[in-house]
Amino acid sequence: MKWEVVIGLETHVQLSTASKIFSGSSTQFGAEPNTQANAVDMALPGTLPVMNRGAVERAIRLGLGVGAHIAPVSVFARKNYFYPDSPKNYQISQFEIPVVQGGKVSFFVGDKEMTVNLTRAHLEEDAGKSVHENVTGPHGERASGIDLNRAGTPLLEVVTEPEMRSADEAVAYAKALHSLVVWLGVCDGNMQEGSFRIDANVSVRPEGQKEFGTRTETKNVNSFRFLERAIQYEIRRQIEVIEDGGKVIQETRLYDPDKDETRSMRTKEDAHDYRYFPDPDLPPLAISEDWIERVRADMPELPATKRARFEADFGISAYDAAQLTSSRATAEYFEAVVAKLPAGQAKIAANWVMGEVAAALNRDSLAIEQSPVNVAQLAGLLTRIADGTISNKIAREVFTALWSGEFADADAVIEAKGLKQVSDSGAIGKLIDEVMEANAGIVAEFRAGKEKAFNSLVGQVMKAGRGKVNPQQVNDLLREKLG
């Protein structure tokens, strides 16, 4: 039997406010346990939540970024559950009327552009954290503790429609959303610190069946690689359960990266299990058109708009434009390089940013903001390719020297290493004569009609010239001499 996979993602985006969503406690990561939790976060009697305006503005910002409807009035609800890390025994969230409604996120899977529709994005508070390591009880016994530093941290939970059909699509969507929230400045995107966590809802059904299968939810995945592995594992597990005559249980699961498997945490609750009701301590959240327009006026150029402009202004492909706008920092780096180059050199800049620069950053685990080769240095290097001072091959050697930090700019490398391209036709002609004499057999093959022999001779000349001869001149002179 052929199976179809159905995937929907719920992503907890930690908003980049300095204080919590309903209190003035700091949201800074890494503080000593329970040093950033005040009376509101600890749910002491008589305390009341006060909405953080900055969290609402970040929600509006993301809503505008995905083309969603911003609800003029949204409502906070109490989501009731009883876990040790939730001192109120409920979470303040949004249920029936979220602040962001609809919207969509586009992304590439390979060279195929796809779009996933969003159901909603709602504001809510994070819970605290249970601690099971290095905690000692009053009698010296091993114990568990509760750290409420995260309690009340502002989250925007972004929920997709169940439209993805593979782990690759899910990962590509998650990366696109991650890029967007960082681009907009609503989240720092730090997955190691829990700023961007993904719940994966996965089910399988026989191909052609309309009804969804029973889904499981794998919680709090904090890496794209783990997301891919967790989904792939869950797909295999569910298919095996069904083909062995069993039934998939609706449940919440946890991904264990050490064992590369998901395992059951608890039976999955339905909405009615949480007994949602409007929070009596918080009035409905009213967002005026003026407020929305003020946020809109402060928005950066969106990735899709910049992508279209790169295609139109620079003549690069849709795929290349998508790669260059995969992050705001990359897009700004590329655009700054192009601005320093002679007209018509955007394509070579795109190739270098996506090629040599990206490879070096990946090799050294650096972000583009940390690139040892800055905008001016790369532009200087590409200018020397454009004016014929060096070839592309030599340029890679120059780039490596710049990356090491040994030289200030490309001209310094070229001068110090004697890498200036040889364009003297007399000198190139002499090299060609020597190569033709030493490779008489290949010359004969070309003259007998074997065109590939020409490339072999070009390679021999370039090698003899140690890569510093002008390749176009080599081509022209060699054809002339071969008759």
Short mmCIF file of all heavy atoms in Angstrom, two decimals, residues 377-431:
data_model
loop_
_atom_site.label_atom_id
_atom_site.label_comp_id
_atom_site.label_asym_id
_atom_site.label_seq_id
_atom_site.Cartn_x
_atom_site.Cartn_y
_atom_site.Cartn_z
N GLN A 377 36.27 44.25 0.90
CA GLN A 377 37.30 43.31 0.44
C GLN A 377 36.78 42.43 -0.69
O GLN A 377 37.49 42.21 -1.68
CB GLN A 377 37.77 42.45 1.61
CG GLN A 377 38.62 43.22 2.62
CD GLN A 377 38.91 42.39 3.85
OE1 GLN A 377 38.05 41.67 4.36
NE2 GLN A 377 40.14 42.49 4.35
N LEU A 378 35.55 41.92 -0.53
CA LEU A 378 35.01 41.07 -1.60
C LEU A 378 34.77 41.89 -2.86
O LEU A 378 35.07 41.43 -3.98
CB LEU A 378 33.71 40.40 -1.15
CG LEU A 378 33.12 39.42 -2.18
CD1 LEU A 378 34.08 38.26 -2.44
CD2 LEU A 378 31.77 38.88 -1.72
N ALA A 379 34.24 43.09 -2.70
CA ALA A 379 34.01 43.95 -3.87
C ALA A 379 35.33 44.26 -4.57
O ALA A 379 35.41 44.26 -5.82
CB ALA A 379 33.32 45.24 -3.44
N GLY A 380 36.38 44.52 -3.80
CA GLY A 380 37.69 44.78 -4.40
C GLY A 380 38.20 43.58 -5.18
O GLY A 380 38.77 43.71 -6.27
N LEU A 381 37.99 42.40 -4.63
CA LEU A 381 38.41 41.16 -5.32
C LEU A 381 37.65 40.97 -6.63
O LEU A 381 38.25 40.70 -7.67
CB LEU A 381 38.16 39.98 -4.37
CG LEU A 381 38.32 38.58 -4.97
CD1 LEU A 381 39.73 38.35 -5.47
CD2 LEU A 381 37.94 37.52 -3.94
N LEU A 382 36.33 41.15 -6.56
CA LEU A 382 35.52 40.95 -7.77
C LEU A 382 35.81 42.01 -8.83
O LEU A 382 35.71 41.75 -10.03
CB LEU A 382 34.03 40.95 -7.40
CG LEU A 382 33.60 39.88 -6.37
CD1 LEU A 382 32.09 39.90 -6.19
CD2 LEU A 382 34.07 38.50 -6.80
N THR A 383 36.18 43.20 -8.38
CA THR A 383 36.55 44.25 -9.34
C THR A 383 37.80 43.85 -10.12
O THR A 383 37.91 44.11 -11.32
CB THR A 383 36.81 45.57 -8.58
OG1 THR A 383 35.61 45.96 -7.91
CG2 THR A 383 37.22 46.68 -9.55
N ARG A 384 38.71 43.18 -9.46
CA ARG A 384 39.94 42.75 -10.15
C ARG A 384 39.67 41.60 -11.12
O ARG A 384 40.40 41.41 -12.09
CB ARG A 384 40.99 42.33 -9.11
CG ARG A 384 41.51 43.52 -8.32
CD ARG A 384 42.27 44.51 -9.24
NE ARG A 384 42.52 45.77 -8.58
CZ ARG A 384 41.83 46.88 -8.82
NH1 ARG A 384 40.86 46.90 -9.73
NH2 ARG A 384 42.10 48.00 -8.18
N ILE A 385 38.64 40.83 -10.87
CA ILE A 385 38.22 39.84 -11.89
C ILE A 385 37.62 40.56 -13.08
O ILE A 385 37.94 40.29 -14.23
CB ILE A 385 37.20 38.83 -11.30
CG1 ILE A 385 37.79 38.06 -10.14
CG2 ILE A 385 36.74 37.86 -12.39
CD1 ILE A 385 36.79 37.16 -9.42
N ALA A 386 36.75 41.52 -12.78
CA ALA A 386 36.04 42.23 -13.84
C ALA A 386 36.98 43.00 -14.75
O ALA A 386 36.76 43.08 -15.98
CB ALA A 386 35.02 43.18 -13.21
N ASP A 387 38.06 43.58 -14.18
CA ASP A 387 38.95 44.38 -15.05
C ASP A 387 40.09 43.54 -15.64
O ASP A 387 41.00 44.07 -16.27
CB ASP A 387 39.49 45.60 -14.29
CG ASP A 387 40.41 45.21 -13.11
OD1 ASP A 387 40.87 44.06 -13.05
OD2 ASP A 387 40.67 46.09 -12.26
N GLY A 388 40.02 42.22 -15.41
CA GLY A 388 40.99 41.32 -16.06
C GLY A 388 42.32 41.21 -15.36
O GLY A 388 43.24 40.57 -15.87
N THR A 389 42.44 41.79 -14.17
CA THR A 389 43.72 41.71 -13.44
C THR A 389 44.02 40.29 -13.02
O THR A 389 45.17 39.83 -13.05
CB THR A 389 43.68 42.62 -12.20
OG1 THR A 389 43.40 43.96 -12.62
CG2 THR A 389 45.00 42.59 -11.45
N ILE A 390 42.99 39.56 -12.59
CA ILE A 390 43.17 38.15 -12.19
C ILE A 390 42.04 37.32 -12.78
O ILE A 390 40.98 37.84 -13.13
CB ILE A 390 43.16 37.99 -10.65
CG1 ILE A 390 41.88 38.59 -10.04
CG2 ILE A 390 44.41 38.60 -10.03
CD1 ILE A 390 41.74 38.35 -8.55
N SER A 391 42.31 36.02 -12.88
CA SER A 391 41.27 35.10 -13.35
C SER A 391 40.44 34.63 -12.17
O SER A 391 40.80 34.84 -11.00
CB SER A 391 41.94 33.89 -14.02
OG SER A 391 42.68 33.17 -13.05
N ASN A 392 39.34 33.95 -12.46
CA ASN A 392 38.50 33.38 -11.40
C ASN A 392 39.29 32.40 -10.55
O ASN A 392 39.12 32.35 -9.33
CB ASN A 392 37.30 32.67 -12.02
CG ASN A 392 36.01 33.44 -11.78
OD1 ASN A 392 35.71 33.84 -10.66
ND2 ASN A 392 35.27 33.66 -12.85
N LYS A 393 40.14 31.63 -11.22
CA LYS A 393 40.91 30.63 -10.48
C LYS A 393 41.86 31.31 -9.48
O LYS A 393 41.94 30.92 -8.31
CB LYS A 393 41.71 29.76 -11.45
CG LYS A 393 42.51 28.68 -10.77
CD LYS A 393 43.25 27.85 -11.80
CE LYS A 393 44.09 26.77 -11.08
NZ LYS A 393 44.87 25.98 -12.04
N ILE A 394 42.58 32.31 -9.95
CA ILE A 394 43.50 33.03 -9.07
C ILE A 394 42.72 33.76 -7.97
O ILE A 394 43.18 33.90 -6.84
CB ILE A 394 44.36 34.02 -9.88
CG1 ILE A 394 45.31 33.23 -10.79
CG2 ILE A 394 45.14 34.95 -8.98
CD1 ILE A 394 46.32 32.39 -10.04
N ALA A 395 41.51 34.22 -8.33
CA ALA A 395 40.70 34.94 -7.35
C ALA A 395 40.42 34.09 -6.12
O ALA A 395 40.34 34.61 -5.00
CB ALA A 395 39.39 35.40 -7.99
N ARG A 396 40.28 32.80 -6.32
CA ARG A 396 40.03 31.92 -5.17
C ARG A 396 41.25 31.90 -4.24
O ARG A 396 41.10 31.84 -3.02
CB ARG A 396 39.69 30.51 -5.65
CG ARG A 396 38.37 30.44 -6.42
CD ARG A 396 37.95 29.01 -6.72
NE ARG A 396 36.74 29.00 -7.51
CZ ARG A 396 36.71 28.96 -8.85
NH1 ARG A 396 37.86 28.91 -9.52
NH2 ARG A 396 35.58 28.97 -9.49
N GLU A 397 42.43 31.95 -4.83
CA GLU A 397 43.65 32.01 -4.01
C GLU A 397 43.71 33.34 -3.24
O GLU A 397 44.08 33.38 -2.07
CB GLU A 397 44.89 31.86 -4.92
CG GLU A 397 46.19 31.82 -4.17
CD GLU A 397 47.40 31.61 -5.10
OE1 GLU A 397 47.19 31.18 -6.27
OE2 GLU A 397 48.52 31.89 -4.67
N VAL A 398 43.31 34.41 -3.92
CA VAL A 398 43.28 35.72 -3.26
C VAL A 398 42.26 35.72 -2.12
O VAL A 398 42.51 36.23 -1.03
CB VAL A 398 42.95 36.82 -4.29
CG1 VAL A 398 42.85 38.18 -3.59
CG2 VAL A 398 44.00 36.86 -5.39
N PHE A 399 41.09 35.12 -2.40
CA PHE A 399 40.04 35.05 -1.37
C PHE A 399 40.53 34.31 -0.13
O PHE A 399 40.30 34.75 1.01
CB PHE A 399 38.80 34.36 -1.96
CG PHE A 399 37.68 34.19 -0.97
CD1 PHE A 399 36.82 35.25 -0.69
CD2 PHE A 399 37.49 32.99 -0.30
CE1 PHE A 399 35.79 35.11 0.23
CE2 PHE A 399 36.46 32.83 0.61
CZ PHE A 399 35.60 33.90 0.87
N THR A 400 41.22 33.21 -0.35
CA THR A 400 41.74 32.43 0.78
C THR A 400 42.70 33.27 1.62
O THR A 400 42.69 33.23 2.86
CB THR A 400 42.45 31.17 0.27
OG1 THR A 400 41.51 30.37 -0.46
CG2 THR A 400 43.01 30.34 1.42
N ALA A 401 43.54 34.05 0.93
CA ALA A 401 44.49 34.91 1.64
C ALA A 401 43.76 35.99 2.43
O ALA A 401 44.13 36.31 3.57
CB ALA A 401 45.46 35.53 0.65
N LEU A 402 42.71 36.55 1.85
CA LEU A 402 41.92 37.56 2.57
C LEU A 402 41.23 36.94 3.78
O LEU A 402 41.16 37.54 4.85
CB LEU A 402 40.88 38.18 1.64
CG LEU A 402 41.41 39.11 0.54
CD1 LEU A 402 40.27 39.52 -0.39
CD2 LEU A 402 42.05 40.35 1.15
N TRP A 403 40.71 35.74 3.59
CA TRP A 403 39.98 35.05 4.68
C TRP A 403 40.90 34.82 5.88
O TRP A 403 40.48 34.87 7.03
CB TRP A 403 39.43 33.72 4.16
CG TRP A 403 38.45 33.08 5.09
CD1 TRP A 403 38.71 32.17 6.07
CD2 TRP A 403 37.03 33.30 5.11
NE1 TRP A 403 37.54 31.81 6.71
CE2 TRP A 403 36.50 32.48 6.14
CE3 TRP A 403 36.17 34.09 4.36
CZ2 TRP A 403 35.15 32.45 6.44
CZ3 TRP A 403 34.81 34.06 4.66
CH2 TRP A 403 34.31 33.25 5.69
N SER A 404 42.17 34.57 5.59
CA SER A 404 43.12 34.31 6.68
C SER A 404 43.42 35.56 7.49
O SER A 404 43.96 35.48 8.59
CB SER A 404 44.42 33.75 6.11
OG SER A 404 45.14 34.78 5.44
N GLY A 405 43.09 36.73 6.91
CA GLY A 405 43.34 37.98 7.62
C GLY A 405 44.75 38.51 7.45
O GLY A 405 45.12 39.51 8.08
N GLU A 406 45.53 37.88 6.58
CA GLU A 406 46.93 38.26 6.42
C GLU A 406 47.07 39.56 5.63
O GLU A 406 48.05 40.29 5.81
CB GLU A 406 47.68 37.12 5.72
CG GLU A 406 49.18 37.31 5.65
CD GLU A 406 49.86 36.14 4.94
OE1 GLU A 406 49.19 35.14 4.64
OE2 GLU A 406 51.06 36.26 4.69
N PHE A 407 46.10 39.84 4.77
CA PHE A 407 46.18 41.01 3.89
C PHE A 407 44.95 41.89 4.06
O PHE A 407 43.87 41.41 4.39
CB PHE A 407 46.31 40.58 2.43
CG PHE A 407 47.56 39.78 2.14
CD1 PHE A 407 47.55 38.39 2.24
CD2 PHE A 407 48.75 40.42 1.79
CE1 PHE A 407 48.70 37.66 1.99
CE2 PHE A 407 49.90 39.69 1.54
CZ PHE A 407 49.88 38.31 1.63
N ALA A 408 45.15 43.18 3.76
CA ALA A 408 44.05 44.14 3.96
C ALA A 408 43.07 44.14 2.80
O ALA A 408 41.88 44.37 2.98
CB ALA A 408 44.62 45.55 4.15
N ASP A 409 43.58 43.91 1.58
CA ASP A 409 42.68 43.92 0.42
C ASP A 409 43.26 43.07 -0.71
O ASP A 409 44.41 42.59 -0.63
CB ASP A 409 42.41 45.36 -0.06
CG ASP A 409 43.69 46.12 -0.38
OD1 ASP A 409 44.60 45.52 -0.97
OD2 ASP A 409 43.77 47.31 -0.02
N ALA A 410 42.47 42.92 -1.76
CA ALA A 410 42.86 42.04 -2.86
C ALA A 410 44.12 42.53 -3.56
O ALA A 410 44.99 41.73 -3.95
CB ALA A 410 41.71 41.93 -3.86
N ASP A 411 44.25 43.84 -3.74
CA ASP A 411 45.44 44.39 -4.42
C ASP A 411 46.71 44.02 -3.68
O ASP A 411 47.74 43.72 -4.28
CB ASP A 411 45.31 45.91 -4.56
CG ASP A 411 44.27 46.30 -5.59
OD1 ASP A 411 43.89 45.43 -6.41
OD2 ASP A 411 43.82 47.45 -5.57
N ALA A 412 46.65 44.05 -2.35
CA ALA A 412 47.82 43.71 -1.55
C ALA A 412 48.22 42.25 -1.75
O ALA A 412 49.40 41.91 -1.84
CB ALA A 412 47.54 43.99 -0.07
N VAL A 413 47.21 41.37 -1.85
CA VAL A 413 47.50 39.95 -2.07
C VAL A 413 48.11 39.74 -3.45
O VAL A 413 49.12 39.04 -3.62
CB VAL A 413 46.20 39.11 -1.95
CG1 VAL A 413 46.53 37.63 -2.16
CG2 VAL A 413 45.53 39.32 -0.61
N ILE A 414 47.51 40.38 -4.45
CA ILE A 414 47.98 40.22 -5.84
C ILE A 414 49.42 40.69 -5.98
O ILE A 414 50.26 40.04 -6.61
CB ILE A 414 47.04 40.99 -6.79
CG1 ILE A 414 45.64 40.37 -6.77
CG2 ILE A 414 47.61 41.02 -8.21
CD1 ILE A 414 44.57 41.23 -7.41
N GLU A 415 49.72 41.82 -5.35
CA GLU A 415 51.07 42.39 -5.42
C GLU A 415 52.08 41.51 -4.69
O GLU A 415 53.14 41.18 -5.22
CB GLU A 415 51.05 43.80 -4.81
CG GLU A 415 52.39 44.50 -4.79
CD GLU A 415 52.90 44.81 -6.20
OE1 GLU A 415 52.05 44.97 -7.10
OE2 GLU A 415 54.13 44.88 -6.38
N ALA A 416 51.71 41.11 -3.48
CA ALA A 416 52.65 40.33 -2.66
C ALA A 416 52.94 38.96 -3.25
O ALA A 416 54.05 38.45 -3.16
CB ALA A 416 52.09 40.19 -1.24
N LYS A 417 51.95 38.35 -3.87
CA LYS A 417 52.11 36.99 -4.38
C LYS A 417 52.38 36.95 -5.88
O LYS A 417 52.49 35.87 -6.47
CB LYS A 417 50.85 36.16 -4.06
CG LYS A 417 50.66 35.90 -2.56
CD LYS A 417 49.41 35.07 -2.30
CE LYS A 417 49.28 34.69 -0.84
NZ LYS A 417 50.24 33.66 -0.43
N GLY A 418 52.46 38.13 -6.51
CA GLY A 418 52.73 38.17 -7.95
C GLY A 418 51.67 37.45 -8.77
O GLY A 418 51.99 36.65 -9.66
N LEU A 419 50.40 37.72 -8.48
CA LEU A 419 49.31 36.98 -9.10
C LEU A 419 48.65 37.69 -10.27
O LEU A 419 47.67 37.21 -10.82
CB LEU A 419 48.24 36.67 -8.04
CG LEU A 419 48.70 35.81 -6.87
CD1 LEU A 419 47.60 35.67 -5.83
CD2 LEU A 419 49.15 34.44 -7.36
N LYS A 420 49.22 38.82 -10.67
CA LYS A 420 48.57 39.59 -11.74
C LYS A 420 48.51 38.76 -13.01
O LYS A 420 49.49 38.12 -13.40
CB LYS A 420 49.34 40.88 -11.98
CG LYS A 420 48.61 41.86 -12.88
CD LYS A 420 49.33 43.20 -12.91
CE LYS A 420 48.57 44.19 -13.79
NZ LYS A 420 49.24 45.49 -13.82
N GLN A 421 47.38 38.79 -13.63
CA GLN A 421 47.14 37.98 -14.82
C GLN A 421 48.02 38.42 -15.99
O GLN A 421 48.21 39.62 -16.22
CB GLN A 421 45.67 38.10 -15.22
CG GLN A 421 45.23 37.18 -16.33
CD GLN A 421 43.72 37.09 -16.40
OE1 GLN A 421 43.12 36.14 -15.95
NE2 GLN A 421 43.12 38.12 -16.95
N VAL A 422 48.58 37.46 -16.71
CA VAL A 422 49.41 37.75 -17.88
C VAL A 422 48.50 37.97 -19.09
O VAL A 422 47.74 37.08 -19.48
CB VAL A 422 50.37 36.58 -18.17
CG1 VAL A 422 51.17 36.85 -19.44
CG2 VAL A 422 51.30 36.37 -16.99
N SER A 423 48.56 39.18 -19.65
CA SER A 423 47.73 39.50 -20.82
C SER A 423 48.58 39.85 -22.03
O SER A 423 48.05 40.29 -23.05
CB SER A 423 46.79 40.66 -20.48
OG SER A 423 45.93 40.31 -19.43
N ASP A 424 49.87 39.67 -21.90
CA ASP A 424 50.78 39.97 -23.01
C ASP A 424 50.64 38.87 -24.07
O ASP A 424 50.95 37.70 -23.82
CB ASP A 424 52.22 40.04 -22.48
CG ASP A 424 53.21 40.33 -23.58
OD1 ASP A 424 53.67 39.36 -24.23
OD2 ASP A 424 53.49 41.51 -23.81
N SER A 425 50.16 39.24 -25.25
CA SER A 425 49.88 38.24 -26.28
C SER A 425 51.15 37.52 -26.75
O SER A 425 51.11 36.34 -27.12
CB SER A 425 49.16 38.88 -27.47
OG SER A 425 49.93 39.95 -27.98
N GLY A 426 52.27 38.24 -26.69
CA GLY A 426 53.53 37.60 -27.10
C GLY A 426 53.91 36.49 -26.14
O GLY A 426 54.28 35.38 -26.56
N ALA A 427 53.80 36.77 -24.85
CA ALA A 427 54.15 35.77 -23.84
C ALA A 427 53.19 34.59 -23.89
O ALA A 427 53.59 33.42 -23.77
CB ALA A 427 54.13 36.40 -22.46
N ILE A 428 51.91 34.88 -24.08
CA ILE A 428 50.91 33.80 -24.16
C ILE A 428 51.15 32.96 -25.41
O ILE A 428 51.07 31.71 -25.38
CB ILE A 428 49.49 34.38 -24.14
CG1 ILE A 428 49.23 35.08 -22.80
CG2 ILE A 428 48.46 33.29 -24.38
CD1 ILE A 428 47.91 35.82 -22.72
N GLY A 429 51.47 33.63 -26.53
CA GLY A 429 51.74 32.90 -27.77
C GLY A 429 52.91 31.95 -27.63
O GLY A 429 52.89 30.82 -28.15
N LYS A 430 53.93 32.39 -26.89
CA LYS A 430 55.11 31.54 -26.68
C LYS A 430 54.72 30.30 -25.87
O LYS A 430 55.14 29.17 -26.20
CB LYS A 430 56.19 32.33 -25.94
CG LYS A 430 57.50 31.60 -25.82
CD LYS A 430 58.53 32.46 -25.10
CE LYS A 430 59.83 31.66 -24.90
NZ LYS A 430 60.81 32.44 -24.12
N LEU A 431 53.90 30.49 -24.83
CA LEU A 431 53.43 29.35 -24.04
C LEU A 431 52.65 28.36 -24.90
O LEU A 431 52.81 27.14 -24.80
CB LEU A 431 52.53 29.84 -22.90
CG LEU A 431 53.18 30.30 -21.59
CD1 LEU A 431 52.11 30.79 -20.63
CD2 LEU A 431 53.96 29.15 -20.96
#
